[in-house]
Structure formats: C-alpha cells, structure tokens
Amino acid sequence: MIDSQVFAQHRRLLFDVAYRMTGSVADAEDILQEAWLRCRDVDGGQLAHPRAYLVKTVTNLSLNQLTSARARRETYVGPWLPEPVLTAPDAGQEAEMAESISMAMLVVLETLTPAERAIFLLHDVFGFNHAEVASILDRSEVAVRQTAVRARAHVAARRPRFDVDQGVRREAVDRFRKACAGGDLNAMMELLAPEVICWSDGGGKVTAARRPLEGADNVARWLLGVFAKPETQNTLLVITEINGGPGILGLADGQPAGAICLDFDGERITGVRMQGNPDKLRGLTR
C-alpha cells in the first residue's frame, strides 16, 4: 500500500496532470480518487519510484476518461469549453507550466490526440524525459520521440500569444468588466479587435450562443445584451486569477455563476471565452 502521506505529497502534481489532460476539475478529482483507491492495493515498499508510478496511474486513467468524454461531446449543446479553475500568482513557476493551464492553451490541447496530449504534457510541461514518458505510457522511446515532435509542431502552429504584460492585461480586463457592467458599447468596441471571436458554454442549461460569435460589433452587442438581462443584472463581476491570468468571476448571491477568460493581441481582445454551465463551476470554489 502506498502511504497516504506519499500520495498527499504528490497530490498537487497529480491534479495538475489530470486537469491538463481532461480540461475538467470534476474529472481530475474523480481520477485522483480512483488513483488513490488503486494505489492502496500496491506494495509501496516494492516501488523504487512512487512519484513515477502515481503519475503513470493518473495519466492512464486520464486517457480512459478522454476517450469517454469525447464521445459525450458529440451531443453537447453549443460550444464546449474547459472548466475554469481559480489559480494563484506564482512568480517562480516556469512559463511553460503557467501557459499550459490557460483556457486558450487547454482548448489547443483538445485538438491533439489523447496520446499526443499525454506526451506533450508529460515531456514539455512536466519535464519527464522521453524514456520516462515511454515507461509511463508503455510505448517505445522512438515512438514517444516521434509523437512528441508531431504534437509540438501542432501546438506551435495554434498556441496563443502570451507576450502581453500582466499589468496591461489586468487593466484591459478591468475595462472590459466595467464595459459589461455599465452597458458601454463604445468602451467595449475600443477593447475588441475587429476579428474577435466569442465562445460561450452554457451546456444547454443557461443563456449562451449556440455557435461562436465573430466580429467586434456582433460580440459587443451580444455581450451587453447578456448582461442587460434581468437574471444577470445583479451579478457581481470581480477580477481574479483564473487559469493562470487575470479573468472575471461572476458571483450571484456570493456563489460562482460563471467566468470569463480573455485572449489578447497587444492591448486588443481577440478572444472571449465565457463559461456559464453550472456543472462546470466547481473549480471556481476550490
């Protein structure tokens, strides 16, 4: 049996792997629970590297979850977005690790195959070498290297820009928040890039656009229309760190009602990702 203290020691790493693999806080927590149940039956004294064994268990459970989740998404109502999670600023965190939890990057990771996603994350984000990744996934090192090259090229072609100063980003997020709360169309138009795209995930349970909205005028008018509705007028919009960067948390009666993450190109907003599905808000209370 792996000692509970050993599992607790690596719990943060295990959650980070599971969350980045699945894009779901709920699934990540379920995976950790299942991993713990499985590890209780393992003789920890016979394991030379408990950390590697735990990561292997969580990674393979995540791969199984991805397969079933993708089947469910075929019938999902409207755009699907990852579950947002509250994070804390960490100046010592490496750029690759910080970027990998952003909403935009999680969406990019969704375009990889499950194997590509696992290999990219384990090697490029979590720092396992190719031999260790091969052992975790029960693949040859040659196959892992080939898949890693393919996954890296795929991500590089689609990865969002992260060269905007955090202070500039936070100021723009605050201006966006004020424009939403005040119904200021002109202020919103000044913030949005002409080619901006808005994705809203309501899961068929709350107000959301069934398709991505494109263009500053369409996006601005739709956003202000949403926040002008009676059911959202009393929602408190606060700035907090979500998925590694400044975002907007919506609170209704003190409880999370949704989250907004923004993509930037310079000082202009190129992407708006709104999560309002009540089943996907668990990470906003962690």
Side-chain angles (χ1 to χ4, degrees):
M1 175 178 175
I2 290 181
D3 189 271
S4 60
Q5 290 185 337
V6 174
F7 191 90
Q9 177 185 350
H10 299 297
R11 183 179 176 84
R12 172 65 184 272
L13 168 65
L14 301 178
F15 178 85
D16 287 350
V17 171
Y19 176 66
R20 286 165 173 80
M21 279 291 295
T22 63
S24 167
V25 174
D27 287 346
E29 291 179 344
D30 288 346
I31 286 168
L32 261 62
Q33 179 66 23
E34 178 63 24
W36 167 240
L37 292 175
R38 294 191 181 194
C39 291
R40 289 193 309 177
D41 300 326
V42 175
D43 184 355
Q46 300 298 314
L47 289 177
H49 304 288
R51 176 176 179 267
Y53 179 83
L54 289 168
V55 170
K56 178 172 184 169
T57 301
V58 165
T59 299
N60 284 290
L61 287 170
S62 298
L63 287 169
N64 293 339
Q65 179 60 32
L66 271 180
T67 301
S68 59
R70 291 192 172 190
R72 293 197 302 271
R73 286 176 204 162
E74 292 179 2
T75 58
Y76 196 80
V77 178
W80 181 93
L81 289 175
E83 294 180 24
V85 63
L86 296 180
T87 51
D90 185 352
Q93 192 175 57
E94 294 185 5
E96 195 76 43
M97 179 69 79
E99 179 188 5
S100 68
I101 202 174
S102 74
M103 191 64 63
M105 179 56 77
L106 288 173
V107 170
V108 171
L109 293 176
E110 285 293 316
T111 65
L112 298 174
T113 68
E116 288 173 342
R117 186 169 185 162
I119 290 170
F120 175 81
L121 287 171
L122 291 172
H123 181 269
D124 286 42
V125 175
F126 293 102
F128 290 91
N129 62 42
H130 289 114
E132 290 170 329
V133 176
S135 176
I136 289 171
L137 297 177
D138 293 323
R139 292 178 173 234
S140 72
E141 189 172 341
V142 172
V144 165
R145 288 181 180 274
Q146 292 173 341
T147 303
V149 170
R150 186 167 63 249
R152 198 172 298 119
H154 186 99
V155 170
R158 295 164 176 79
R159 79 190 315 154
R161 291 179 56 184
F162 282 87
D163 56 357
V164 181
D165 178 81
Q166 285 286 52
V168 173
R169 180 189 292 257
R170 189 175 185 86
E171 181 181 347
V173 171
D174 189 42
R175 290 168 59 198
F176 180 92
R177 179 190 65 82
K178 290 177 180 176
C180 288
D184 192 332
L185 180 61
N186 289 332
M188 183 66 76
M189 291 293 291
E190 290 178 0
L191 283 167
L192 300 179
E195 69 280 8
V196 65
I197 302 176
C198 175
W199 299 267
S200 58
D201 182 344
K205 299 181 179 183
V206 296
T207 299
R210 295 296 181 92
R211 297 182 180 84
L213 299 167
E214 299 183 24
D217 188 68
N218 286 337
V219 171
R221 293 182 185 279
W222 184 82
L223 285 170
L224 298 189
V226 168
F227 287 103
K229 291 179 179 294
E231 60 267 29
T232 57
Q233 282 187 334
N234 293 325
T235 300
L236 178 65
L237 303 179
V238 298
I239 297 178
T240 188
E241 182 162 303
I242 301 174
N243 287 80
I248 298 173
L249 174 64
L251 296 172
D253 297 324
Q255 297 300 313
I260 302 175
C261 295
L262 304 174
D263 302 339
F264 290 87
D265 185 353
E267 296 183 15
R268 304 295 289 274
I269 297 169
T270 58
V272 180
R273 305 177 195 273
M274 300 179 62
Q275 182 57 264
N277 185 340
D279 294 337
K280 291 185 169 187
L281 304 180
R282 186 187 300 189
L284 300 177
T285 60
R286 298 183 82 249

